Amino acid sequence: MDFLRITQSPKLQGEVQISGAKNSALPILTSTLLSKNPLKIHNLPNVADVNTLLKLLGILGAEHEKFSANHIYIDTSGVKETKATYDIVRKMRASILVLGPLLARFGHCEVSLPGGCAIGARPVDLHIKAMEKMGAEIVIENGYIVAKAPSGLKGANIVFDKITVTGTENVLMAAALAKGKTTIINAAKEPEVVQLCEILQEGGVQIVGIGSSELEITGSDGELLDMKDIKVIADRIEAGTYLCAGAITNSCITLKSLIPHHLQAVIEKLEEIGFGFEIGEDSLKLLPAKKLQAFEVRTAEYPAFPTDMQAQFMALAMQCEGVSSIEERLFENRFMHVSELQRLGANITLRGNIASVSGGAELKGADVMATDLRASSALVLAGLIAQGETNIHRIYHLDRGYEKLEDKLISLGAKVERLREE
Ligand code: EPZ
């Protein structure tokens, strides 16, 4: 297995290109099951989760061709199989995103329950309840969601008890082919959900309320969509992670090919800590801080501070003067990075879902273990400032969501190498 060796790095400098958003690419890929015609997808991030989903779609019968690592042509007209098996779903829980489109197009499907992951139980009860509201008969058998809607799905009023990103996306895709109108109350508003709405709308689906928490979708009553070629939006979490790499080393770096507006909450928090910005149309320049102030942050749904940036800010808090407080409100176990950061010397105390980080502790490189995608990015950031060498193991977690991570960090001047365990 590979591991990353990170040596305490000098200030970073230069530019980094942001890739397409993993969390937009995944629903976009499953939405192609709704398309009557093949289509091109541009700016697709070449990360493990996207390649796993392409493998699943291939098993179902879809065909795709790669023009380059980031541009594909996909044709789902040959899809006949509607069973998403455990061996694939367990590797990538967002495979649950085939539930809505398969059910809407074929009237039946079997999708392995994704099961939990390091950050929490990750139930899909809200997805299932919504599909049942739209007329599906669903039973859970031998760890599979077995769903049937022989006479097709019908529009319904869906009120989500909790805001769920992939839950909203599954209902959007199911409603696109349903008979009649579907309303979603308490819908997720993440930019990735907005892009899915936009591509369905370009495919002929009438959607009202895009970007709001109340969506109204008029379905095509089983008619497949005339979907157009797609360019995946930039990855705001990858961008936020590189901002934290610049911030933790108090450097001046520039991010290119991103959408600054999607990072409002992260930019505001970094300004509060002491950083400045030069904001361009699709670029963002981080200006170093005179002093890094401790901060308070609590994670919440978009447009508030994203849970996917919580671990990275915990690493940054180690450099801030004073005691920072970080409250995780979405997931019940998203502090797996704490014990690993403590191995480097971090001074962090946990009280329930609140972490207090005393900045200024001396950090010494050590062997640490990645546990989930964003926790592992926090370890990379910490490795940039810890004395000596930090070896990060199980970096397959990183490869799930960060394209060419070490190349991009090296281009900014970081000392990073990917090695193989003996
Ligand atoms: C999406 O996960 C993202 N993944 C996650 O990013 C992100 O952390 C999360 O949204 C929150 O922003 C993708 O988009 C592929 P949720 P998702 O359903 O949709 C509870 C990353 O690092 N819930 O919005 O699975 C759930 O337990 C990943 O890129 C239910 O109770 O998250 C959680 O507490 C990690 N029942 C809350 O809702 C359900 O049926 C939000 O979960 C569904 C969710």
Side-chain angles (χ1 to χ4, degrees):
M1 280 218 268
D2 294 355
F3 69 97
L4 279 190
R5 172 161 296 160
I6 305 192
T7 309
Q8 188 177 26
S9 296
K11 294 241 176 280
L12 303 182
Q13 62 196 5
E15 297 184 348
V16 61
Q17 286 290 336
I18 299 303
S19 299
K22 164 181 84 81
N23 290 350
S24 200
L26 297 175
I28 283 174
L29 284 169
T30 61
S31 76
T32 62
L33 289 164
L34 305 171
S35 178
K36 71 170 85 144
N37 46 281
L39 63 140
K40 288 194 193 107
I41 302 176
H42 300 268
N43 202 34
L44 197 67
N46 184 19
V47 294
D49 273 8
V50 164
N51 294 322
T52 302
L53 190 54
L54 280 169
K55 188 167 167 227
L56 170 57
L57 291 172
I59 291 168
L60 299 179
E63 286 178 3
H64 78 272
E65 200 189 320
K66 282 203 168 189
F67 293 121
S68 77
N70 305 109
H71 300 163
I72 68 160
Y73 172 86
I74 186 162
D75 180 353
T76 62
S77 57
V79 170
K80 300 241 178 330
E81 179 56 60
T82 61
K83 181 169 186 175
T85 53
Y86 173 71
D87 58 318
I88 286 253
V89 175
R90 72 182 171 84
K91 278 199 204 106
M92 216 270 301
R93 57 181 323 287
S95 310
I96 191 69
L97 285 166
V98 298
L99 175 66
L102 285 177
L103 195 49
R105 174 168 164 184
F106 296 101
H108 58 82
C109 65
E110 288 183 53
V111 180
S112 167
L113 275 169
C117 70
I119 64 178
R122 311 293 296 275
V124 289
D125 56 310
L126 300 177
H127 299 236
I128 292 169
K129 261 184 352 204
M131 294 300 125
E132 288 173 331
K133 197 92 193 284
M134 296 176 77
E137 291 141 30
I138 296 186
V139 292
I140 306 293
E141 240 163 51
N142 312 321
Y144 279 80
I145 302 165
V146 181
K148 290 188 179 65
S151 42
L153 294 174
K154 58 187 191 323
N157 288 328
I158 308 291
V159 181
F160 276 126
D161 304 345
K162 278 179 130 176
I163 295 172
T164 161
V165 172
T166 49
T168 302
E169 291 164 346
N170 252 331
V171 173
L172 274 166
M173 293 186 280
L177 298 195
K179 182 181 174 63
K181 268 198 176 92
T182 297
T183 52
I184 307 175
I185 309 289
N186 204 21
K189 301 185 283 190
E190 274 65 7
E192 298 76 29
V193 174
V194 170
Q195 178 163 39
L196 180 62
C197 289
E198 288 167 348
I199 65 165
L200 292 174
Q201 196 168 54
E202 277 156 32
V205 181
Q206 193 191 332
I207 302 180
V208 177
I210 295 179
S212 82
S213 58
E214 211 164 309
L215 297 170
E216 185 186 274
I217 305 103
T218 304
S220 68
D221 191 9
E223 183 72 29
L224 289 178
L225 308 180
D226 179 16
M227 288 179 72
K228 307 293 184 294
D229 292 351
I230 298 160
K231 181 175 189 268
V232 179
I233 58 171
D235 193 320
R236 61 194 167 96
I237 305 301
E238 184 199 24
T241 306
Y242 285 105
L243 281 181
C244 286
I248 204 167
T249 52
N250 203 9
S251 311
C252 175
I253 60 168
T254 302
L255 277 54
K256 308 286 277 184
S257 311
L258 75 156
I259 305 168
H261 177 70
H262 289 166
L263 281 146
Q264 291 287 16
V266 170
I267 289 170
E268 191 279 331
K269 198 51 70 180
L270 287 170
E271 285 173 336
E272 205 183 290
I273 294 171
F275 294 95
F277 287 92
E278 281 173 21
I279 301 180
E281 182 72 21
D282 65 351
S283 67
L284 193 56
K285 184 174 188 179
L286 177 75
L287 305 172
K290 289 188 184 55
K291 200 161 82 78
L292 279 70
Q293 298 284 2
F295 60 90
E296 282 198 9
V297 75
R298 52 186 62 80
T299 65
E301 294 82 2
Y302 191 87
F305 189 88
T307 174
D308 291 351
M309 284 301 304
Q310 178 258 106
Q312 299 90 316
F313 268 70
M314 191 169 304
L316 176 57
M318 300 187 302
Q319 292 289 77
C320 297
E321 277 184 38
V323 180
S324 298
S325 159
I326 298 173
E327 184 178 350
E328 171 55 58
R329 289 184 160 185
L330 267 80
F331 292 108
E332 66 272 26
N333 188 33
R334 201 167 197 174
F335 282 147
M336 304 285 280
H337 39 288
V338 169
S339 50
E340 297 305 308
L341 291 173
Q342 286 167 333
R343 285 175 55 75
L344 298 172
N347 183 348
I348 306 173
T349 50
L350 285 182
R351 260 191 345 277
N353 64 341
I354 297 176
S356 300
V357 186
S358 302
E362 194 183 20
L363 301 173
K364 287 207 172 62
D367 282 277
V368 289
M369 194 169 311
T371 50
D372 60 272
L373 172 56
R374 307 302 172 185
S376 34
S377 71
L379 300 178
V380 173
L381 300 177
L384 295 174
I385 53 168
Q387 288 166 29
E389 291 178 347
T390 298
N391 296 322
I392 303 174
H393 302 275
R394 296 193 182 173
I395 52 169
Y396 54 85
H397 290 289
L398 272 172
D399 296 336
R400 292 187 45 200
Y402 288 100
E403 184 176 29
K404 296 195 283 205
L405 176 86
E406 62 266 29
D407 299 349
K408 293 188 181 186
L409 283 173
I410 290 166
S411 73
L412 289 172
K415 294 178 187 163
V416 182
E417 45 186 336
R418 181 183 284 253
L419 302 167
R420 192 155 291 271
E421 314 263 14
E422 281 77 47

